[in-house]
Amino acid sequence: MALIQCPECQQRVSDQAGTCPHCGYPLANSQQADLETILCRGVWLAQSAGLVDAMLVAIFSPDHSFRGQTRPDPNRVRGMQLVAPAEFQGRWQMLGPQLFLEFLMTTLSGTSSVQVAIQISRISEGAFSGIDGFGRSWDWAAAAQ
């Protein structure tokens, strides 16, 4: 954990804080450019209750497109997965401290459009996390190259 300076009140704050504890300034907002740069550096692995029983592997591009695949969670009981392994492509965008994703996801019942808005609460070089509009946590980690 490192300390950063709040752009609003100039107090020292943990780089893990989503907002400044002194003045309430949304720190993830000031880290938007950093997250955009970090996102486009490699392959990311996401896990979320929103994915039910799957992991999302994604590569983000500076033109705000992303591609990847869904993979069944290896920790789930075989035969119990709902998300089918599939390739996908989509669009991403940062608006303030939110990451918006739009892509097609294939489940055992078919393919459907997925739109997710994730309120980012923690950012580092190799990981970031947040909560979507349904209160589900999203944890992203840089995949080993």
Side-chain angles (χ1 to χ4, degrees), residues 73-135:
D73 185 337
N75 298 319
R76 293 287 290 200
V77 176
R78 194 162 200 58
M80 297 298 290
Q81 275 103 5
L82 300 174
V83 176
E87 301 287 321
F88 68 85
Q89 58 186 12
R91 304 286 303 159
W92 68 275
Q93 181 177 3
M94 289 293 303
L95 290 175
Q98 288 190 319
L99 171 63
F100 291 89
L101 303 174
E102 184 173 356
F103 61 99
L104 294 176
M105 185 164 68
T106 302
T107 64
L108 297 181
S109 62
T111 301
S112 60
S113 179
V114 175
Q115 296 178 335
V116 180
I118 303 169
Q119 179 78 24
I120 303 301
S121 57
R122 183 181 60 82
I123 302 169
S124 69
E125 282 294 319
F128 65 96
S129 60
I131 304 290
D132 70 18
F134 296 101

Side-chain angles (χ1 to χ4, degrees), residues 4 15-16 25 42 48 51 59 72 82 85 90 106 121 126 129:
I4 60 171
D15 66 350
Q16 304 295 306
Y25 185 82
S48 171
L51 296 171
I59 299 171
L82 300 174
T106 302
S121 57
S129 60

Side-chain angles (χ1 to χ4, degrees), residues 41-44 142-145:
R41 285 192 188 144
V43 179
W44 290 91
Q145 300 284 317

